[in-house]
Amino acid sequence: MKYLENLRKNDKELQNKIETLLEKYQSYPVGSGYIDIITKYELSEKLIEEISNAGIAINAVTWWCHCSDENKKNHGCPHGMGGPKCTCCDGYYSEVGLDYETFEIAESEYNNLQTGVVTKDEIHSINQAVWNYIREYSYHERFSECLTPALWLHVPDEWKRIKYMKR
Ligand SMILES: [Zn+2]
């Protein structure tokens, strides 16, 4: 069965599974769906692993700053234009925007997710590349310890969250 067709067929089950994981890893989804899922850097590897096991691919990563007094003090965080309040402290998340790069999977992989049949192994390999990017970017000269990744899940466009931080 085609990737998106399978997701649509099992929508309630998969959405529940995804949202249980988002809650478990204290992720902060910015909108009402499954893109821009801000996740603490140190929890993102495990979340990606579990998302892979659930059979869901990740197609992009953007960077956000976790603006907190602690990060300002310890890492000299220069960001902070305001944004959604985080759930862990009295800080908030701020989009760092075009100063930082974003990551997207290859166009051929994207198109295959849109229209093709995708094996479990292919999903694991796509998501592994996403994690490799996140890990490698932490060695980039522009990386700052206050940065945290946001994951974009490849799910049907019409999907809205059904329980976790529902808006
Ligand atoms: Zn910052």
Side-chain angles (χ1 to χ4, degrees):
M1 194 185 297
K2 290 180 174 174
Y3 174 79
L4 284 181
E5 196 184 323
N6 177 52
L7 266 58
R8 286 194 172 101
K9 188 160 169 266
N10 300 292
D11 54 354
K12 290 289 168 288
E13 182 199 333
L14 288 170
Q15 287 179 264
N16 265 304
K17 201 180 266 185
I18 293 169
E19 292 178 38
T20 300
L21 291 175
L22 299 188
E23 187 169 11
K24 177 176 174 188
Y25 290 98
Q26 305 158 36
S27 296
Y28 185 100
V30 175
S32 55
Y34 301 92
I35 62 167
D36 257 332
I37 296 172
I38 302 172
T39 302
K40 286 198 170 57
Y41 191 98
E42 62 272 23
L43 297 179
S44 55
E45 183 178 16
K46 285 297 283 180
L47 173 63
I48 290 170
E49 193 183 311
E50 293 215 47
I51 289 282
S52 299
N53 291 338
I56 305 293
I58 299 162
N59 65 30
V61 178
T62 54
W63 292 99
W64 290 68
C65 166
H66 181 213
C67 299
S68 63
D69 288 344
E70 202 186 330
N71 275 338
K72 272 213 157 55
K73 196 171 70 193
N74 296 341
H75 309 300
C77 164
H79 314 104
M81 304 296 285
K85 199 184 162 334
C86 62
T87 47
C88 56
C89 63
D90 53 7
Y92 61 93
Y93 292 115
S94 181
E95 196 162 19
V96 294
L98 299 176
D99 288 351
Y100 291 84
E101 64 174 288
T102 57
F103 174 84
E104 286 171 20
I105 61 171
E107 201 179 336
S108 58
E109 289 170 335
Y110 187 94
N111 291 339
N112 197 31
L113 289 168
Q114 281 296 92
T115 58
V117 175
V118 183
T119 66
K120 284 248 168 204
D121 282 352
E122 283 169 327
I123 290 169
H124 275 275
S125 129
I126 289 169
N127 291 351
Q128 183 62 44
V130 167
W131 166 246
N132 289 345
Y133 162 76
I134 291 172
R135 192 189 54 210
E136 279 159 25
Y137 196 64
S138 72
Y139 299 107
H140 194 283
E141 58 180 15
R142 299 222 51 199
F143 188 80
S144 163
E145 296 290 333
C146 57
L147 292 184
T148 204
L151 309 175
W152 294 48
L153 305 190
H154 197 96
V155 299
D157 284 340
E158 69 275 13
W159 277 18
K160 303 283 175 220
R161 290 194 308 283
I162 55 179
K163 57 175 188 181
Y164 180 60
M165 295 182 78
K166 195 177 166 193
R167 292 193 180 88

